[in-house]
């Protein structure tokens, strides 16, 4: 499990380095006076307006370092984005996103800590859209996991015989008039009913 998480983190870092190699020199990235043209404010003021953070440019939250422009990120679109290279980001992002979703679902960790950095570093989304994309991805992965595990039984059953109980493997059951076996679903629905309301309340407040 630990090696799987390390491999996923390494893959994420490698993809981010490869896709950001064309973003310009390190001097441009670290310049304190770096500014980006904002199409939204430019349309309002009828002149080119620059901002130091594209989060201040309503509707154009993504940043293109090469052309120093704020733009509205479009997925799987090679025309409306500043460069056709963003289409390759999306193709690679789909593959990495698929692997991340599989690992997150298998580990039962949700994947929010994986999807948000993927959206920011790999797909070049702003933090807020990346968070929304992460929530929708978590919902889809959770729904898929629920459908897969809904009818599965717990690997252990409770054996009751002669007023004694013990836990035995579900496939190790011997028919006996004095022995009964009680199985339960692999999902603990009582725990889900206990945790889900507070989890949703915390998510709303957050």
């Amino acid at each position: 499990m630990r090696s799987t998480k390390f491999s996923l983190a390494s893959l994420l870092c490698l993809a981010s380095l490869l896709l950001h190699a064309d973003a310009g020199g390190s001097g441009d990235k670290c310049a304190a006076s770096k500014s980006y043209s904002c199409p939204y404010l430019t349309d309002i003021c009828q002149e080119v307006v620059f901002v130091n953070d594209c989060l201040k440019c309503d509707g154009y939250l993504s940043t293109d370092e090469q052309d120093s422009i704020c733009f509205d990120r479009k997925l799987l679109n090679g025309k409306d984005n500043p460069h056709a290279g963003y289409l390759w980001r999306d193709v690679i992002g789909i593959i990495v996103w698929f692997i991340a979703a599989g690992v997150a679902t298998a580990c039962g960790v949700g994947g929010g800590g994986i999807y948000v950095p993927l959206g920011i570093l790999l797909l070049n989304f702003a933090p807020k859209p990346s968070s929304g994309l992460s929530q929708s991805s978590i919902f889809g992965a959770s729904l898929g996991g629920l459908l897969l595990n809904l009818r599965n039984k717990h690997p252990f059953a409770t054996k009751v015989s002669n007023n004694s109980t013990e836990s035995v493997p579900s496939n190790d059951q011997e028919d006996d008039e004095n022995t009964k076996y009680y199985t339960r679903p692999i999902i603990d629905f009582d725990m889900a009913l206990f945790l889900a309301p507070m989890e949703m309340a915390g998510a709303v407040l957050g």
Side-chain angles (χ1 to χ4, degrees), residues 68-90:
S68 298
I69 187 174
C70 302
F71 68 102
D72 184 19
R73 181 76 163 91
K74 302 292 185 181
L75 283 175
L76 298 175
N77 191 328
K79 296 181 179 180
D80 295 334
N81 293 314
H83 306 290
Y86 284 98
L87 180 61
W88 289 106
R89 284 177 178 261
D90 298 337

Side-chain angles (χ1 to χ4, degrees), residues 172-189:
D172 187 17
Q173 299 181 7
E174 299 178 358
D175 294 332
D176 189 349
E177 294 181 356
N178 299 323
T179 304
K180 292 184 178 180
Y181 294 90
Y182 296 92
T183 60
R184 62 186 185 275
I186 195 171
I187 301 175
D188 192 340
F189 291 102

Side-chain angles (χ1 to χ4, degrees), residues 2-187:
R2 184 176 299 177
S3 61
T4 303
K5 292 181 180 179
F6 178 76
S7 301
L8 182 62
S10 301
L11 180 63
L12 174 61
C13 293
L14 179 60
S16 301
L17 290 174
L18 290 176
L19 291 174
H20 281 73
D22 61 341
S26 60
D28 292 337
K29 291 182 181 179
C30 300
S33 59
K34 186 71 173 180
S35 58
Y36 310 94
S37 61
C38 174
Y40 173 73
L41 296 177
T42 298
D43 292 340
I44 294 177
C45 302
Q46 299 299 317
E47 61 178 351
V48 179
V49 178
F50 293 89
V51 294
N52 58 3
D53 188 348
C54 285
L55 295 179
K56 301 177 181 178
C57 187
D58 189 21
Y60 300 87
L61 302 178
S62 297
T63 304
D64 183 69
E65 296 285 350
Q66 185 172 345
D67 289 344
S68 298
I69 187 174
C70 302
F71 68 102
D72 184 19
R73 181 76 163 91
K74 302 292 185 181
L75 283 175
L76 298 175
N77 191 328
K79 296 181 179 180
D80 295 334
N81 293 314
H83 306 290
Y86 284 98
L87 180 61
W88 289 106
R89 284 177 178 261
D90 298 337
V91 174
I92 297 175
I94 290 174
I95 298 173
V96 177
W97 211 277
F98 173 79
I99 297 173
V103 173
T105 303
C107 299
V109 296
I114 301 175
Y115 296 136
V116 174
L118 274 178
I120 296 174
L121 299 176
L122 189 59
L123 299 180
N124 199 30
F125 275 106
K128 200 168 186 178
S130 295
S131 178
L133 187 61
S134 169
Q135 296 294 330
S136 62
S137 299
I138 293 172
F139 171 75
S142 300
L143 183 61
L146 174 64
L147 294 177
L148 288 175
N149 294 318
L150 193 59
R151 301 185 63 181
N152 289 345
K153 298 296 182 181
H154 196 277
F156 287 92
T158 301
K159 177 182 178 181
V160 180
S161 61
N162 298 327
N163 297 325
S164 64
T165 60
E166 61 177 318
S167 182
V168 297
S170 296
N171 56 1
D172 187 17
Q173 299 181 7
E174 299 178 358
D175 294 332
D176 189 349
E177 294 181 356
N178 299 323
T179 304
K180 292 184 178 180
Y181 294 90
Y182 296 92
T183 60
R184 62 186 185 275
I186 195 171
I187 301 175

